[in-house]
Amino acid sequence: MRLPRLLLCAPSSGAGKTTVTCAVLQALRDLGYRPASFKSGPDYIDPMFHREVIGTYSANLDLFLMGEEAVRVQLAETGGKAGLAVIEGAMGYYDGIAMGETASAYDLARRTRTPAVLVVNAKGQALSAAAVVKGIAAFRADSQIQGVLLNRISPMSYPRLKEMIEAETGVRVYGFLPDSPDCTLESRHLGLVTAAEVDALREKLSRLSALAREHIDLEGLAGLAGTAPPLDAVAPALTVHPDHPRVAVAADRAFCFYYGGALSLLEKLGARLVEFSPLEDEALPAGVSGLYLGGGYPELYAKRLSENQTMCRSVREAVEGGLPTVAECGGFLYLHRTMEDGAGTPWPLCGVIPADAVRTNRLRRFGYITMTPRTGGLLGSRPIPAHEFHYWESGAPGNDFQARKPQSERGWDCAYHTPTLYAGFPHFHFCAVPEAAARFVAKCAEYNTGR
């Protein structure tokens, strides 16, 4: 299919590509475009921010978690709803797994043949900015770098800097954002999306949009996106389960980390997803035959989750009664006997996992892993690419999988895996293992029949 698309990247984290990406997305919407947004890598927060605050279709594109074909399908399906795709890269452009380029923003751009636009923080630079552009653009013969956006410079400096960079590198400069500290989007903005914050952030995005429309050649960027070659994507053949089992999905401020493509896959396989709130509702929705407890911020709501003991009891009885359940990271913590809040106070929760979840003062696990099940279970027996990121620790993290870092000998035991339960810290993407998604849906239907 033909899908106009761009990837915004940077030489390193901290260059302001999130601010520039949000400014471009909001400005395109204000000009009447219908962009879809994507984030390279496993991060849940940026796509959630784009959906809730900017109002775009949004999804992750992760070559390690999903595989190349699933990435192409996700890009085609989500981007096709809008007609123009804007992808935000992660970290530095070439930064991938184990100090290499695998699964980097560059790897994503070249595998999807997407024109890349380099965001350069040019504050305090002159000719050196051209050196940065030339170095990134020439580092690989197929770098995909076809444009530049400058950040944090003055309108007075821009014309000369643009002329110099284009003369030295041959790469077109499409505009700039001036140094505007009151409009910068920091990480804390992306993770905390309360109603009041959304209103304040929309005002900030309105100012960013105005700056982008004044100083960035948005029509030129749209034209560059249109030069992307047709996207080859072949969706896997799926068998829809005729029973259409109802699957309860925890969805509130405490549980909000889900990959949209994974939820969509469950629906394509025949599942009917029913959202509920462990914070607000008294019990699981009636008549469900499966449960999906995603990640999020349960530690911020430990007291409220604990006070809703009718829901905790409903979940415990259902899971112990054989309700097919997937519980990732925050959802895994929710199943514990107790969980500490940010102040270190323990709160009683569901009690499915006979252990306590405790606060630590450092990141316990971070990065990609491959989980290999020791025995077959709810998700099957094949290895599963996954990702971990958590500060809380469990007194009993499970040992039904062997986790191993890519291109490394480092490994550890993790997670629980029974015929009806996956529960552990690692997050995974169902699109990478569609057979595991099919097993989950089938198991939910089997539970419904048995009931």
Side-chain angles (χ1 to χ4, degrees):
M1 65 174 294
R2 182 162 292 282
L3 174 64
R5 57 193 183 274
L6 291 173
L7 185 145
L8 302 184
C9 59
S12 67
S13 296
K17 64 179 176 291
T18 294
T19 299
V20 172
T21 299
C22 289
V24 168
L25 284 169
Q26 188 64 59
L28 287 171
R29 280 181 57 86
D30 292 344
L31 288 175
Y33 289 90
R34 295 173 56 248
S37 63
F38 296 87
K39 177 68 183 228
S40 69
D43 174 42
Y44 291 95
I45 294 175
D46 283 2
M48 183 171 65
F49 179 86
H50 293 161
R51 287 191 298 269
E52 292 198 33
V53 182
I54 300 176
T56 62
Y57 295 104
S58 192
N60 292 77
L61 302 175
D62 191 301
L63 288 166
F64 181 85
L65 280 188
M66 303 169 67
E68 182 175 344
E69 196 55 50
V71 161
R72 290 175 177 275
V73 170
Q74 182 75 84
L75 181 56
E77 290 185 349
T78 303
K81 297 175 185 176
L84 172 63
V86 177
I87 307 167
E88 180 185 348
M91 302 176 63
Y93 186 47
Y94 292 104
D95 298 334
I97 294 171
M99 302 294 284
E101 65 192 33
T102 301
S104 64
Y106 154 71
D107 199 15
L108 178 61
R110 72 183 182 88
R111 288 174 184 262
T112 60
R113 296 191 296 170
T114 298
V117 176
L118 187 68
V119 176
V120 177
N121 177 7
K123 185 174 183 177
Q125 295 188 63
L127 187 60
S128 295
V132 170
V133 173
K134 190 166 188 175
I136 296 289
F139 187 69
R140 291 288 185 266
D142 60 349
S143 73
Q144 311 296 318
I145 298 293
Q146 297 184 40
V148 173
L149 287 171
L150 301 175
N151 194 27
R152 298 172 183 160
I153 65 169
S154 70
M156 184 178 299
S157 302
Y158 174 69
R160 181 69 185 105
L161 198 54
K162 168 183 167 68
E163 179 184 5
M164 180 190 64
I165 290 173
E166 292 180 341
E168 291 285 350
T169 69
V171 181
R172 179 176 170 182
V173 180
Y174 284 87
F176 73 102
L177 281 185
D179 193 10
S180 306
D182 62 324
C183 289
T184 300
L185 294 172
E186 304 292 350
S187 295
R188 61 187 175 84
H189 293 135
L190 304 181
L192 301 173
V193 190
T194 65
E197 287 170 325
V198 166
D199 288 341
L201 287 168
R202 283 180 177 147
E203 291 179 10
K204 182 174 287 193
L205 282 166
S206 179
R207 296 197 298 274
L208 280 171
S209 172
L211 290 172
R213 283 180 279 124
E214 180 179 359
H215 299 298
I216 293 176
D217 180 6
L218 295 162
E219 298 291 345
L221 287 179
L224 176 60
T227 67
L231 184 67
D232 295 326
V234 180
L238 302 174
T239 300
V240 179
H241 203 288
D243 292 346
H244 298 287
R246 286 159 49 87
V247 177
V249 179
D252 56 21
R253 293 296 177 195
F255 302 98
C256 50
F257 288 176
Y258 296 97
Y259 294 121
L263 296 177
S264 177
L265 177 60
L266 293 177
E267 290 180 317
K268 290 175 183 176
L269 288 165
R272 292 176 178 168
L273 305 185
V274 183
E275 292 187 352
F276 75 103
S277 171
L279 288 170
E280 305 292 342
D281 297 334
E282 293 184 355
L284 290 174
V288 297
S289 6
L291 174 61
Y292 195 172
L293 295 167
Y297 305 105
E299 68 278 7
L300 300 181
Y301 301 93
K303 181 175 184 291
R304 286 181 59 191
L305 289 168
S306 178
E307 289 172 344
N308 192 354
Q309 277 299 306
T310 58
M311 176 60 80
C312 290
R313 184 165 54 252
S314 176
V315 169
R316 181 177 65 253
E317 292 174 352
V319 176
E320 291 180 346
L323 181 73
T325 298
V326 172
E328 300 174 309
C329 202
F332 173 54
L333 293 175
Y334 182 55
L335 294 183
H336 277 64
R337 180 171 55 211
T338 69
M339 179 177 63
E340 290 184 351
D341 61 17
T345 303
W347 296 96
L349 289 173
C350 295
V352 174
I353 305 297
D356 304 309
V358 297
R359 174 181 59 94
T360 71
N361 295 318
R362 63 185 178 87
L363 193 58
R364 303 299 299 184
R365 302 282 187 199
F366 171 67
Y368 294 122
I369 58 172
T370 297
M371 299 192 303
T372 302
R374 289 195 161 87
T375 59
L378 179 63
L379 302 180
S381 58
R382 64 161 283 187
I384 301 172
H387 182 266
E388 279 200 47
F389 187 104
H390 55 94
Y391 287 84
W392 265 243
E393 192 53 276
S394 170
N399 59 9
D400 290 338
F401 288 82
Q402 170 68 22
R404 187 167 297 280
K405 298 286 288 182
Q407 301 179 24
S408 169
E409 294 302 314
R410 290 177 55 207
W412 57 88
D413 293 338
C414 68
Y416 295 80
H417 198 214
T418 76
T420 61
L421 175 67
Y422 166 79
F425 280 117
H427 297 271
F428 64 93
H429 200 304
F430 269 125
C431 289
V433 279
E435 62 271 33
R439 284 178 60 89
F440 178 50
V441 173
K443 204 71 176 178
C444 294
E446 179 183 315
Y447 176 89
N448 190 47
T449 300
R451 180 172 55 192

